């Protein structure tokens, strides 16, 4: 017996989150999960994207609903067409026939891996920003406290300059490592295997 329209809608809602849908169509939520509502004019993001399949709600125009409602409103299309669009755009492979449990499980697993990849990428990029800021600080220290010719002749080296000389190579090494890992995560490869990492030069003890 063919699958009812509501059954297919339930599958779509269980496989695709509102964050998936929003990002796919060009809306990138801030850290609190808000985007600028595409359904009314605003400068401050007021449309909240909820996790755990709870959908979305705009506190400005009071629109809200499920992922299907979002696509219906975004493209001004009816319910059934919105289901078909999500199915096609996300390559879900769903049909009006009874779903294959193995296919549904594979889709859910792919979604889980993608969520993990995004979380890992955000963590790495946050760490990179912190290290880049620290690197810039010690670079400024290096330039500001650089000994003059007289300092060299007198044998005077400012302690902060000496510390900057020691730290800079290690910070540069860490930044290089992070940039490499970020590129790998973006390419959805990640670090695989148990290959030993190269020795870090000048690592502080």
């Amino acid at each position: 017996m063919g699958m009812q329209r509501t059954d297919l809608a339930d599958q779509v809602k269980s496989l695709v989150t509102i964050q998936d849908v929003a990002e796919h169509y060009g809306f990138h939520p801030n850290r609190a999960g808000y985007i600028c509502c595409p359904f009314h004019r605003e400068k401050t993001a007021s449309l909240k994207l909820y996790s755990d399949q709870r959908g979305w709600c705009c506190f400005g125009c009071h629109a809200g609903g499920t992922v299907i409602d979002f696509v219906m409103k975004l493209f001004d299309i009816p319910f059934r067409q919105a289901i078909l669009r999500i199915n096609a755009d996300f390559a879900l492979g769903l049909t009006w026939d009874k779903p294959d449990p193995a296919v549904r499980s594979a889709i859910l697993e792919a979604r889980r891996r993608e969520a993990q990849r995004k979380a890992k990428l955000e963590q790495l990029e946050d760490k990179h920003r912190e290290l880049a800021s620290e690197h810039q600080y010690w670079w400024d220290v290096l330039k500001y406290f650089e000994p003059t010719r007289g300092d060299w002749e007198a044998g005077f080296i400012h302690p902060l300059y000496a510390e900057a000389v020691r730290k800079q190579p290690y910070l540069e090494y860490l930044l290089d490592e992070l940039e490499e890992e970020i590129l790998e995560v973006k390419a959805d490869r990640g670090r695989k295997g148990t290959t030993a990492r190269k020795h870090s030069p000048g690592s502080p003890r």
Side-chain angles (χ1 to χ4, degrees):
M1 184 175 180
M3 182 180 296
Q4 296 299 315
R5 182 176 63 180
T6 54
D7 294 332
L8 188 60
D10 287 341
Q11 282 197 82
V12 167
K13 288 185 285 187
S14 71
L15 294 171
V16 181
T17 68
I18 187 60
Q19 290 91 344
D20 293 332
V21 169
E23 291 181 1
H24 182 81
Y25 296 123
F27 302 97
H28 301 287
N30 59 26
R31 289 185 179 276
Y34 284 88
I35 64 172
C36 283
C37 181
F39 310 125
H40 76 282
R41 290 175 177 269
E42 66 175 8
K43 293 183 179 179
T44 302
S46 64
L47 191 154
K48 172 71 173 177
L49 306 178
Y50 293 100
S51 58
D52 302 325
Q53 310 302 332
R54 287 192 293 151
W56 57 282
C57 178
C58 177
F59 296 98
C61 66
H62 306 294
T66 68
V67 293
I68 298 172
D69 295 312
F70 186 88
V71 173
M72 287 173 63
K73 196 167 179 64
L74 185 64
F75 295 102
D76 191 23
I77 55 179
F79 182 79
R80 185 183 180 110
Q81 189 176 340
I83 293 174
L84 295 175
R85 173 146 194 168
I86 295 171
N87 188 32
D89 287 350
F90 287 85
L92 299 181
L94 302 176
T95 70
W96 299 104
D97 298 320
K98 188 173 182 179
D100 182 342
V103 172
R104 185 177 186 279
S105 178
I107 293 171
L108 286 171
E109 176 61 19
R111 295 288 177 218
R112 184 189 65 80
R113 288 198 304 267
E114 177 61 13
Q116 289 180 333
R117 188 189 71 83
K118 287 181 178 179
K120 177 65 173 177
L121 182 59
E122 184 175 340
Q123 180 185 38
L124 290 172
E125 289 178 336
D126 284 345
K127 188 174 181 181
H128 185 275
R129 280 190 290 271
E130 292 174 6
L131 276 176
S133 179
E134 185 178 358
H135 178 271
Q136 183 62 52
Y137 167 75
W138 287 109
W139 177 258
D140 291 341
V141 166
L142 200 65
K143 294 302 180 184
Y144 186 81
F145 292 101
E146 183 177 8
T148 64
R149 180 175 179 179
D151 291 333
W152 286 115
E153 291 173 351
F156 173 76
I157 303 296
H158 196 286
L160 280 175
Y161 177 83
E163 187 172 1
V165 168
R166 181 175 65 88
K167 284 191 171 184
Q168 280 295 85
Y170 183 59
L171 289 171
E172 289 172 1
Y173 163 79
L174 291 179
L175 283 170
D176 286 344
E177 285 283 282
L178 269 175
E179 287 165 5
E180 179 182 339
E181 192 167 0
I182 286 170
L183 288 175
E184 290 176 347
V185 173
K186 283 183 176 180
D188 202 23
R189 293 179 311 208
R191 290 190 180 275
K192 300 180 180 180
T194 56
T195 304
R197 297 180 59 129
K198 59 186 179 183
H199 174 68
S200 57
S203 174
R205 303 297 182 189

